[in-house]
Amino acid sequence: MRFGLTTALPRTGEQARAFARRVEDSGIDVLTFADHLAPFVAPFTAAAAAAAVTTRLHVGTLVLNNDFRHPVETARETACLATLSDGRFELGLGAGHMKSEYDAAGIPFERGGTRVSRLVESVTVVRALLAGESVDFDGAHYRVHAQAGEIVAVPDRRVPILIGGNGTRVLQLAGRVADIVGFAGITHNHDATTVRLSHFDGPGLADRIAVVRDAAGDRFGDIELNALIQAVIVTHDPPRAAADLAEAFAADPDALLSSPFLLIGTHEQMAEQLAARREEFGISYWTVFDELPGRASALPDIAEVIALLR
């Protein structure tokens, strides 16, 4: 299994360096950075800083909002970071969903179908540029014409691309082209003011994996499956913890207890849960959250779980 921690918190230089080393020492494999127009860190800059002070830790974006950058710029930053990190950078891409961020920056927030169509085109351009191929692309959203190696310094090894989402079209795209597919089990409404646990239980996750499998065909076995754990709750009374959490999630406590997107119980129970979920769903890459408003970082607890599993 691989384990990731995703963060967006701003830290001073020394704090950021110490944090990256602590994450690496904990057994985490990938430190990823979110991409929001908010008082958070900028993902490429933060990933570069973390890579510079670590040796084993991979860094990445989870996930980059495609609408905030032209795909040529995304490819250029990715190639540079992949080279500087000696191949330890992983590019996560998504279609974007927070309307308030678009509004604040004066970026048109179009329907989900349009944003996904842009992502489809963007991934085509980014993948070709990172592979050192010539690009002769005229799409509805992007037009790029460049000879091989003309506008991006090609990294000396393949950069893994993660595509994360919950919608069918995004997951079909991931099945066709991604190295890693990220699942979160949740759906946002149009302006991301509410969240629905649309595929938060076992059957829901199995359904989303089936979408990827159908789109991937023969390449499905080469795709790494990732799940974003929405909460890690250490307790000797899981039913009580699930009942407390049910109000916040507006969900049935029993459904939360068995959700593949939650870890509830002792560290030993969590290790058993992850081993069982890998067997059931084929997911081998699990990501937890750093600090969030009103919630402590999951890092200390997932470090204990990692030690038990390994």
Side-chain angles (χ1 to χ4, degrees):
M1 293 188 194
R2 291 207 304 162
F3 291 89
L5 180 80
T6 190
T7 188
L9 292 181
R11 293 176 167 92
T12 67
E14 181 51 41
Q15 289 172 341
R17 290 188 290 272
F19 178 71
R21 295 187 188 105
R22 182 160 66 92
V23 171
E24 181 174 57
D25 292 343
S26 74
I28 290 288
D29 301 287
V30 191
L31 175 60
T32 57
F33 297 88
D35 186 23
H36 291 290
L37 297 181
F40 297 152
V41 294
F44 280 121
T45 304
V53 297
T54 55
T55 57
R56 178 192 59 83
L57 187 70
H58 282 221
V59 296
T61 56
L62 194 73
V63 287
L64 212 64
N65 185 329
N66 178 66
D67 286 342
F68 293 166
R69 298 163 194 81
H70 191 279
V72 170
E73 181 63 12
T74 296
R76 187 171 72 124
E77 293 284 352
T78 296
C80 181
L81 227 168
T83 299
L84 291 175
S85 66
D86 297 320
R88 290 185 288 128
F89 180 72
E90 303 178 8
L91 174 65
L93 287 169
H97 66 277
M98 294 290 293
K99 182 177 184 296
S100 59
E101 298 176 358
Y102 286 70
D103 292 345
I107 301 171
F109 185 76
E110 297 174 271
R111 301 298 303 178
T114 301
R115 285 179 278 121
V116 173
S117 294
R118 270 199 296 267
L119 177 63
V120 171
E121 291 189 10
S122 179
V123 170
T124 301
V125 172
V126 169
R127 176 64 88 191
L129 292 173
L130 292 178
E133 301 169 357
S134 61
V135 181
D136 191 15
F137 186 85
D138 286 291
H141 305 283
Y142 304 109
R143 293 168 178 79
V144 180
H145 300 274
Q147 297 300 312
E150 178 183 0
I151 56 177
V152 170
V154 181
D156 62 359
R157 65 196 82 183
R158 181 182 176 88
V159 179
I161 292 181
L162 178 151
I163 295 178
N166 190 61
T168 296
R169 285 187 64 207
V170 169
L171 293 178
Q172 287 172 334
L173 170 66
R176 293 194 302 270
V177 305
D179 303 287
I180 310 165
V181 180
F183 303 95
I186 60 176
T187 298
H188 295 88
N189 67 337
H190 173 64
D191 58 3
T193 54
T194 61
V195 175
R196 183 168 63 92
L197 305 184
S198 59
H199 297 87
F200 209 67
D201 58 7
L205 175 57
D207 174 83
R208 297 295 82 187
I209 293 173
V211 170
V212 175
R213 182 185 293 108
D214 290 345
D218 292 342
R219 68 182 298 270
F220 180 74
D222 297 325
I223 297 174
E224 184 178 34
L225 303 183
N226 166 266
L228 182 60
I229 300 295
Q230 299 292 333
V232 177
I233 302 173
V234 178
T235 177
H236 288 281
D237 189 354
R240 175 63 181 272
D244 292 341
L245 196 62
E247 184 174 351
F249 279 79
D252 177 70
D254 290 337
L256 296 182
L257 269 179
S258 61
S259 171
F261 296 99
L262 296 172
L263 286 174
I264 304 175
T266 65
H267 294 141
E268 291 78 7
Q269 289 170 333
M270 291 178 183
E272 292 169 357
Q273 290 165 17
L274 290 177
R277 292 170 191 176
R278 177 175 182 173
E279 183 71 21
E280 181 176 0
F281 301 109
I283 293 178
S284 60
Y285 175 15
W286 304 89
T287 299
V288 299
F289 285 99
D290 187 23
E291 295 177 46
L292 292 171
R295 189 191 306 179
S297 173
L299 180 59
D301 292 312
I302 203 64
E304 296 287 343
V305 175
I306 291 170
L308 288 168
L309 285 165
R310 290 179 176 166

